[in-house]
Amino acid sequence: MLIDSLEKKQLWEKALAEIELSVSRPNFLTWFQNTNISDCGRDIITLNVPNAFAKDWLSGKYHKIIIKALRALFPAIRNVEYVIVSQPPVSATTSIKYKPAMKISSGEPQLEFEEIYIDKKANLNPRYTFDNFIVGSFNELANAAALAVTKNPGSSYNPLFIYGGTGLGKTHLLQSIGNRILQENPKAKVQYLTSEKFANEYISSVQSGTAPFFKEKYREHDLLIIDDIQFFSGKNKTQEEFFHLFNALYEANKQIVFSSDRSPKAIPELEDRLRSRFEGGMIADISPPEYEARMAILKAKTSQKDIILADEIIDYIAKNIQSNIRELEGALQSIIAQSKLLNKNLNPQEIKELLQKNIKTRKKITIIHLIKTVANYYNISEKDIFEQTRKKQIVVPRQIAMYLLREDFNTSYPYIGEKFGGKDHTTVIHAYEKISNDIKSNEKIRDDIRQIREMIYEKEA
Ligand code: ADP
Ligand code: MG
């Protein structure tokens, strides 16, 4: 098949549009950016990919989707070949404007490290390593990206931006990168810190007239890891300073790694130019682990901690604690503490009673509490949610409230309909299905729901 380069480009764009439908946004951005068709044989298409890692991932995970999309355009195609073509670093992509739905006021306080030994210079906790990081489909992408960065710092995935809800392993993964790099190259200049610490240091350096030293200090690093970058929100001066630091490091091919509790797009009051830097590298999300993954995590953690729990108990914990890994650990910790206290092994009944006290049983949350939280989040009144209206700013929150009642509380469709002013159960089913689909394709909705959930369950604690 003889086609010119413009046609190749158009062909690939069409295929990408198709592929995008079946791949999550972060995955799509990560794996398909910087790919293009370099050659079209009679029945083989050659795809240029930016590096070995992308080649493995595309050929291993997305091959079928790619072939399918290409075949829809050219039925004769039998195979796709992936060829590595390294590219000059791309400048940041154009940014997408985002209107914040809510201001970030307070965040979750940083957990104090339990260990006494922390590498002072790099500020890394040796407890966080890849070796004890459990990988499942919920965090596979983030883990793979983090590993790739340790193999090739400062080259292909720069910056690396990892986001996901609280307690899902972001800090663990970020620090694993630092620890691995230091382990392989003890001379590397590695620094881990939170965005809050960065902001505070910057402000006090300005106040004490030592800002030039501050600037110098951070420009020296080979690997700079900044955790919880969402706290840059609204801090304009810090953002400006950081923007220059970012550019200096980036241009010197130094690796930068971020975490955030939400995607770059969803961070309010963030300068566009900084947002576009965050989006210009590799973005990977971590989602809450599913039941099987929770089982695996609990099994691994019990054996690490040298305790034995009956399968029944592990199953019980995995079924009842769904939100995050920190809470799974918390449950194990309280079992250990209690049995030390009583100086005996607890039987399953005792363990269940103990956990029931601790577990924030979702069932306790009333419908009113859920609706209040959703209304609050979207800045509308509770009454509005029940209003008979088709206004979009009301309909979406209402559908989300219905979705959460169904998804998290297993409430029946007719009952939800009844609560929402005598709506037919088919209306509720429609809302549920609509939001279920939106979650897959719409990053904003996904972020909104994640934050709403955090608000609901936080208050319950
Ligand atoms: P985040 O920074 O996303 O809030 P953390 O990295 O602090 O979460 O993780 C919370 C706790 O759960 C930590 O003790 C961490 O070691 C543990 N943890 C998180 N993810 C994993 C994982 N995939 N495997 C093992 N432990 C994990
Ligand atoms: Mg963290």
Side-chain angles (χ1 to χ4, degrees), residues 262-291:
R262 63 201 77 184
S263 70
K265 259 198 255 338
I267 302 176
E269 294 186 54
L270 183 68
E271 271 187 54
D272 281 345
R273 57 181 187 172
L274 204 48
R275 194 191 311 282
S276 75
R277 289 297 183 272
F278 293 164
E279 287 173 340
M282 159 113 152
I283 301 180
D285 71 337
I286 305 184
S287 49
E290 273 141 27
Y291 168 76

CSV table of all heavy atoms in Angstrom, one decimal, residues 262-291:
chain,number,residue,atom,x,y,z
A,262,ARG,N,-5.0,14.2,42.7
A,262,ARG,CA,-5.8,14.3,41.6
A,262,ARG,C,-5.0,14.6,40.3
A,262,ARG,O,-3.8,14.9,40.5
A,262,ARG,CB,-6.9,15.4,41.8
A,262,ARG,CG,-6.3,16.8,41.9
A,262,ARG,CD,-7.2,17.7,42.7
A,262,ARG,NE,-7.2,17.5,44.1
A,262,ARG,CZ,-8.0,18.1,44.9
A,262,ARG,NH1,-8.8,19.0,44.5
A,262,ARG,NH2,-7.9,17.8,46.2
A,263,SER,N,-5.6,14.5,39.2
A,263,SER,CA,-4.8,14.7,37.9
A,263,SER,C,-4.5,16.2,37.8
A,263,SER,O,-5.1,17.1,38.4
A,263,SER,CB,-5.7,14.3,36.8
A,263,SER,OG,-6.8,15.2,36.6
A,264,PRO,N,-3.5,16.5,37.0
A,264,PRO,CA,-3.1,17.9,36.8
A,264,PRO,C,-4.3,18.8,36.4
A,264,PRO,O,-4.4,19.9,36.9
A,264,PRO,CB,-2.0,17.9,35.7
A,264,PRO,CG,-1.5,16.5,35.7
A,264,PRO,CD,-2.6,15.6,36.2
A,265,LYS,N,-5.1,18.3,35.6
A,265,LYS,CA,-6.3,19.1,35.1
A,265,LYS,C,-7.1,19.5,36.3
A,265,LYS,O,-7.8,20.5,36.3
A,265,LYS,CB,-7.1,18.2,34.2
A,265,LYS,CG,-6.9,18.6,32.7
A,265,LYS,CD,-8.0,18.1,31.9
A,265,LYS,CE,-7.6,16.8,31.1
A,265,LYS,NZ,-6.2,16.6,30.8
A,266,ALA,N,-7.2,18.6,37.3
A,266,ALA,CA,-8.2,18.8,38.4
A,266,ALA,C,-7.6,19.6,39.5
A,266,ALA,O,-8.3,19.8,40.5
A,266,ALA,CB,-8.7,17.5,38.8
A,267,ILE,N,-6.4,20.1,39.4
A,267,ILE,CA,-5.8,20.9,40.5
A,267,ILE,C,-6.2,22.3,40.3
A,267,ILE,O,-5.9,22.9,39.3
A,267,ILE,CB,-4.3,20.8,40.6
A,267,ILE,CG1,-3.8,19.3,40.8
A,267,ILE,CG2,-3.7,21.6,41.7
A,267,ILE,CD1,-2.3,19.1,40.7
A,268,PRO,N,-7.0,22.9,41.2
A,268,PRO,CA,-7.5,24.2,41.0
A,268,PRO,C,-6.4,25.2,41.3
A,268,PRO,O,-5.4,24.9,42.0
A,268,PRO,CB,-8.6,24.4,42.1
A,268,PRO,CG,-8.4,23.4,43.1
A,268,PRO,CD,-7.6,22.2,42.5
A,269,GLU,N,-6.5,26.4,40.8
A,269,GLU,CA,-5.6,27.5,41.0
A,269,GLU,C,-4.1,27.1,40.8
A,269,GLU,O,-3.3,27.3,41.7
A,269,GLU,CB,-5.8,28.1,42.4
A,269,GLU,CG,-7.1,28.7,42.5
A,269,GLU,CD,-7.3,29.5,43.9
A,269,GLU,OE1,-6.5,30.3,44.2
A,269,GLU,OE2,-8.3,29.2,44.6
A,270,LEU,N,-3.9,26.5,39.7
A,270,LEU,CA,-2.6,26.1,39.3
A,270,LEU,C,-2.3,26.8,38.0
A,270,LEU,O,-3.1,26.8,37.0
A,270,LEU,CB,-2.5,24.6,39.1
A,270,LEU,CG,-1.2,24.0,38.7
A,270,LEU,CD1,-0.2,24.1,39.9
A,270,LEU,CD2,-1.3,22.5,38.3
A,271,GLU,N,-1.2,27.5,37.9
A,271,GLU,CA,-0.9,28.2,36.7
A,271,GLU,C,-0.9,27.3,35.5
A,271,GLU,O,-0.3,26.2,35.6
A,271,GLU,CB,0.6,28.8,36.8
A,271,GLU,CG,0.6,30.2,37.4
A,271,GLU,CD,2.0,30.7,37.3
A,271,GLU,OE1,2.6,30.7,36.1
A,271,GLU,OE2,2.6,31.0,38.3
A,272,ASP,N,-1.4,27.8,34.4
A,272,ASP,CA,-1.5,26.9,33.2
A,272,ASP,C,-0.1,26.4,32.7
A,272,ASP,O,0.0,25.3,32.3
A,272,ASP,CB,-2.1,27.7,32.0
A,272,ASP,CG,-3.6,27.7,32.2
A,272,ASP,OD1,-4.1,26.9,33.0
A,272,ASP,OD2,-4.3,28.5,31.5
A,273,ARG,N,0.9,27.3,32.8
A,273,ARG,CA,2.2,26.8,32.3
A,273,ARG,C,2.8,25.7,33.1
A,273,ARG,O,3.4,24.8,32.7
A,273,ARG,CB,3.2,28.0,32.2
A,273,ARG,CG,3.4,28.7,33.5
A,273,ARG,CD,4.3,29.9,33.3
A,273,ARG,NE,4.7,30.4,34.6
A,273,ARG,CZ,5.6,31.3,34.8
A,273,ARG,NH1,6.3,31.8,33.8
A,273,ARG,NH2,5.8,31.8,36.0
A,274,LEU,N,2.4,25.7,34.4
A,274,LEU,CA,2.9,24.6,35.3
A,274,LEU,C,2.1,23.4,35.0
A,274,LEU,O,2.6,22.3,34.9
A,274,LEU,CB,2.8,25.1,36.8
A,274,LEU,CG,3.7,24.4,37.8
A,274,LEU,CD1,5.1,24.4,37.3
A,274,LEU,CD2,3.6,25.1,39.1
A,275,ARG,N,0.8,23.6,34.9
A,275,ARG,CA,-0.1,22.4,34.6
A,275,ARG,C,0.4,21.7,33.3
A,275,ARG,O,0.5,20.5,33.2
A,275,ARG,CB,-1.5,22.9,34.4
A,275,ARG,CG,-2.5,21.8,34.4
A,275,ARG,CD,-3.9,22.3,33.9
A,275,ARG,NE,-4.4,23.5,34.6
A,275,ARG,CZ,-4.9,23.6,35.8
A,275,ARG,NH1,-5.0,22.5,36.5
A,275,ARG,NH2,-5.2,24.7,36.3
A,276,SER,N,0.8,22.5,32.3
A,276,SER,CA,1.2,21.9,31.1
A,276,SER,C,2.5,21.2,31.2
A,276,SER,O,2.8,20.2,30.5
A,276,SER,CB,1.2,22.9,29.9
A,276,SER,OG,2.3,23.8,30.0
A,277,ARG,N,3.4,21.7,32.1
A,277,ARG,CA,4.6,20.9,32.4
A,277,ARG,C,4.3,19.6,33.0
A,277,ARG,O,4.9,18.6,32.7
A,277,ARG,CB,5.5,21.7,33.4
A,277,ARG,CG,6.1,22.9,32.8
A,277,ARG,CD,7.1,22.6,31.6
A,277,ARG,NE,7.8,23.8,31.1
A,277,ARG,CZ,7.3,24.5,30.2
A,277,ARG,NH1,6.1,24.3,29.6
A,277,ARG,NH2,8.0,25.6,29.7
A,278,PHE,N,3.4,19.6,34.0
A,278,PHE,CA,3.0,18.3,34.6
A,278,PHE,C,2.4,17.3,33.6
A,278,PHE,O,2.6,16.1,33.7
A,278,PHE,CB,1.9,18.6,35.7
A,278,PHE,CG,2.4,19.4,36.9
A,278,PHE,CD1,1.5,19.9,37.8
A,278,PHE,CD2,3.7,19.5,37.1
A,278,PHE,CE1,1.9,20.7,38.9
A,278,PHE,CE2,4.2,20.3,38.2
A,278,PHE,CZ,3.3,20.8,39.1
A,279,GLU,N,1.7,17.9,32.6
A,279,GLU,CA,1.1,17.0,31.6
A,279,GLU,C,2.0,16.6,30.5
A,279,GLU,O,1.7,15.8,29.7
A,279,GLU,CB,-0.2,17.7,31.0
A,279,GLU,CG,-1.3,17.8,32.0
A,279,GLU,CD,-2.5,18.6,31.5
A,279,GLU,OE1,-2.2,19.5,30.6
A,279,GLU,OE2,-3.6,18.5,32.0
A,280,GLY,N,3.2,17.2,30.5
A,280,GLY,CA,4.1,17.0,29.4
A,280,GLY,C,4.9,15.8,29.4
A,280,GLY,O,5.6,15.4,28.5
A,281,GLY,N,4.8,15.1,30.5
A,281,GLY,CA,5.6,13.9,30.6
A,281,GLY,C,4.7,12.6,30.7
A,281,GLY,O,4.0,12.4,29.8
A,282,MET,N,4.9,11.9,31.7
A,282,MET,CA,4.1,10.6,31.8
A,282,MET,C,3.2,10.8,33.0
A,282,MET,O,3.6,11.2,34.1
A,282,MET,CB,5.1,9.5,32.1
A,282,MET,CG,4.6,8.3,32.7
A,282,MET,SD,4.7,7.1,31.4
A,282,MET,CE,4.8,5.7,32.4
A,283,ILE,N,1.9,10.4,32.8
A,283,ILE,CA,0.9,10.5,33.9
A,283,ILE,C,0.4,9.1,34.1
A,283,ILE,O,0.0,8.4,33.2
A,283,ILE,CB,-0.2,11.5,33.5
A,283,ILE,CG1,0.3,12.8,33.1
A,283,ILE,CG2,-1.3,11.5,34.6
A,283,ILE,CD1,-0.8,13.8,32.8
A,284,ALA,N,0.4,8.7,35.4
A,284,ALA,CA,-0.1,7.4,35.7
A,284,ALA,C,-1.0,7.5,36.9
A,284,ALA,O,-0.6,8.2,37.9
A,284,ALA,CB,1.0,6.4,35.9
A,285,ASP,N,-2.1,6.8,36.9
A,285,ASP,CA,-3.0,6.9,38.1
A,285,ASP,C,-3.0,5.6,38.9
A,285,ASP,O,-2.7,4.5,38.3
A,285,ASP,CB,-4.4,7.3,37.8
A,285,ASP,CG,-5.2,6.3,37.0
A,285,ASP,OD1,-4.6,5.4,36.4
A,285,ASP,OD2,-6.4,6.3,37.1
A,286,ILE,N,-3.3,5.7,40.1
A,286,ILE,CA,-3.5,4.5,41.0
A,286,ILE,C,-5.0,4.5,41.4
A,286,ILE,O,-5.5,5.5,41.9
A,286,ILE,CB,-2.6,4.5,42.2
A,286,ILE,CG1,-1.2,4.7,41.8
A,286,ILE,CG2,-2.8,3.2,43.0
A,286,ILE,CD1,-0.2,4.6,43.0
A,287,SER,N,-5.7,3.4,41.2
A,287,SER,CA,-7.1,3.4,41.6
A,287,SER,C,-7.2,2.5,42.9
A,287,SER,O,-6.3,1.8,43.2
A,287,SER,CB,-7.9,2.9,40.5
A,287,SER,OG,-7.4,1.7,40.0
A,288,PRO,N,-8.3,2.6,43.6
A,288,PRO,CA,-8.4,1.7,44.8
A,288,PRO,C,-8.4,0.2,44.4
A,288,PRO,O,-8.9,-0.1,43.3
A,288,PRO,CB,-9.8,2.1,45.3
A,288,PRO,CG,-10.2,3.4,44.7
A,288,PRO,CD,-9.5,3.4,43.4
A,289,PRO,N,-7.7,-0.6,45.2
A,289,PRO,CA,-7.6,-2.0,44.8
A,289,PRO,C,-8.9,-2.8,44.9
A,289,PRO,O,-9.7,-2.5,45.8
A,289,PRO,CB,-6.6,-2.5,45.9
A,289,PRO,CG,-6.7,-1.6,47.0
A,289,PRO,CD,-7.1,-0.3,46.5
A,290,GLU,N,-9.1,-3.7,44.0
A,290,GLU,CA,-10.3,-4.5,44.0
A,290,GLU,C,-10.2,-5.6,45.1
A,290,GLU,O,-9.1,-5.8,45.6
A,290,GLU,CB,-10.5,-5.1,42.7
A,290,GLU,CG,-11.3,-4.2,41.8
A,290,GLU,CD,-10.8,-4.2,40.3
A,290,GLU,OE1,-10.3,-5.2,39.9
A,290,GLU,OE2,-11.0,-3.2,39.7
A,291,TYR,N,-11.3,-6.3,45.3
A,291,TYR,CA,-11.3,-7.3,46.3
A,291,TYR,C,-10.1,-8.3,46.2
A,291,TYR,O,-9.4,-8.5,47.2
A,291,TYR,CB,-12.6,-8.1,46.2
A,291,TYR,CG,-12.7,-9.4,47.0
A,291,TYR,CD1,-12.8,-9.3,48.4
A,291,TYR,CD2,-12.5,-10.6,46.4
A,291,TYR,CE1,-12.8,-10.4,49.2
A,291,TYR,CE2,-12.5,-11.8,47.2
A,291,TYR,CZ,-12.7,-11.7,48.6
A,291,TYR,OH,-12.7,-12.8,49.3
